[in-house]
Amino acid sequence: MRQWPKIPLPSGLKNISRAFAQAIFLFVTLAHAQGGSHAPRAIVRLPHLTIVVHEDIDPDVLRSLAKPNVTLWLKTRSNTLKDSTIERLSDFEQVYIQIRSPLSAVDAAVFRKIPRAGLWINSVEPVALSRRVPGPRPLAVEVAGALTEMSAKQVSGHRPTLVLWKPPSDLDVDDAMIDRLSKLPGRKLLQAASWPVPNAGCSQSNSHTSLQLPVAAYNLELLANTSCFALRRWLIEVGTAVDTIDVLLSVDRHAELVFDLTIQNSSIDELRSMIDHLRAAVGR
């Protein structure tokens, strides 16, 4: 796609441009919402869904989430999983399970029953942790705090297939951190609490990095300023209206959605309703 040169604007015009973009988005959203009907708006494709749950989730509820186009992330209290949970995890095409050291031989052996399951670890864990689990499998490494040279080296030592970096909202993210993220092995996901993240705008280095933002941050200006990321993932917050999701997906057609059922006041019924709505909207 041809890249048009950016023309610097005076600060006053920048503010007008930002307000204009937000006004357009608000107009489109309200125009759809005022249609008086909650009939599903046409969506070209069913978005990929990432669902985060805790191991305490009811096994029957867990089974109901095992659908095509769904990736499950399982937060755990310990490395010992219930048999009923293990049985349901095998239903998922993609699943990541949080583990931590020390990992006993018994707990590691359980993964033979779920050969497709990936591992989810913190970057400060010893490299040997993931190697105790039998079989080749995806490895997601989570980085907390600033992405320093030392933490980047720790991440690389794990040889991850996916790197998750969630910088704190008060962290001064600089160019060096963004550059370190781009050079880490595997796919990268920048989980931002808001936008803009300082110095994390479009650049060639972001072509293998995905961006996750809360859906409340969505507007047309943001789409334009983050178009160089590999893809965008939107964290659906509690109480998000289906009209908002419809508008988002009609504009950002390659977006992925994230539902975190470990967040306070999150509802499995709300998630099911949203999934049913999305499936009904495809192709209409």
Side-chain angles (χ1 to χ4, degrees), residues 2-275:
R2 182 174 182 180
Q3 297 292 323
W4 295 98
K6 292 185 178 180
I7 300 176
L9 295 175
S11 59
L13 288 181
K14 286 182 180 178
N15 293 334
I16 294 174
S17 174
R18 180 178 298 106
F20 182 67
Q22 292 173 342
I24 291 177
F25 174 70
L26 181 61
F27 173 79
V28 172
T29 303
L30 290 177
H32 176 65
Q34 291 174 356
S37 170
H38 290 282
R41 181 172 183 166
I43 298 174
V44 175
R45 52 178 286 276
L46 185 67
H48 188 89
L49 306 176
T50 292
I51 303 176
V52 185
V53 301
H54 192 270
E55 66 172 317
D56 289 338
I57 189 171
D58 182 270
D60 290 335
V61 173
L62 189 59
R63 179 179 57 184
S64 70
L65 300 177
K67 305 291 185 183
N69 222 35
V70 169
T71 297
L72 184 81
W73 291 73
L74 183 72
K75 288 186 176 181
T76 60
R77 182 182 302 104
S78 70
N79 293 324
T80 304
L81 300 176
K82 294 182 294 186
D83 290 339
S84 56
T85 300
I86 296 169
E87 181 181 356
R88 300 311 179 202
L89 290 176
S90 61
D91 296 334
F92 287 86
E93 294 179 359
Q94 290 183 300
V95 57
Y96 286 87
I97 301 172
Q98 186 180 44
I99 62 171
R100 57 190 60 77
S101 57
L103 179 67
S104 70
V106 173
D107 289 334
V110 165
F111 281 85
R112 296 187 188 277
K113 301 178 182 180
I114 37 178
R116 290 197 300 265
L119 308 177
W120 174 15
I121 67 174
N122 192 285
S123 62
V124 299
E125 293 286 0
V127 172
L129 173 62
S130 61
R131 298 175 184 174
R132 291 182 60 83
V133 178
R137 56 187 73 237
L139 175 62
V141 176
E142 188 172 29
V143 187
L147 190 57
T148 63
E149 289 186 9
M150 179 176 295
S151 60
K153 186 176 180 179
Q154 286 178 324
V155 172
S156 296
H158 288 286
R159 300 179 183 177
T161 54
L162 175 61
V163 177
L164 311 172
W165 182 39
K166 186 175 183 179
S169 57
D170 59 347
L171 178 66
D172 185 16
V173 179
D174 57 27
D175 290 334
M177 294 183 195
I178 297 299
D179 185 58
R180 291 186 195 109
L181 179 65
S182 68
K183 293 178 180 178
L184 291 174
R187 295 175 292 119
K188 275 75 67 172
L189 176 62
L190 172 57
Q191 298 172 300
S194 61
W195 194 262
V197 174
N199 302 315
C202 275
S203 68
Q204 189 65 32
S205 64
N206 290 328
S207 60
H208 298 290
T209 303
S210 299
L211 174 66
Q212 178 177 310
L213 287 167
V215 71
Y218 173 70
N219 61 57
L220 296 179
E221 183 186 26
L222 185 146
L223 293 187
N225 291 340
T226 60
S227 60
C228 65
F229 285 91
L231 60 84
R232 283 176 292 260
R233 300 189 350 165
W234 298 97
L235 176 63
I236 307 303
E237 297 155 308
V238 176
T240 300
V242 293
D243 287 336
T244 301
I245 305 302
D246 288 349
V247 172
L248 186 155
L249 293 176
S250 67
V251 177
D252 194 6
R253 295 189 172 187
H254 298 288
E256 297 185 357
L257 303 182
V258 183
F259 299 87
D260 190 343
L261 290 176
T262 67
I263 295 177
Q264 186 176 10
N265 297 325
S266 61
S267 165
I268 183 62
D269 291 333
E270 184 177 353
L271 170 57
R272 284 171 172 163
S273 176
M274 185 74 71
I275 292 176

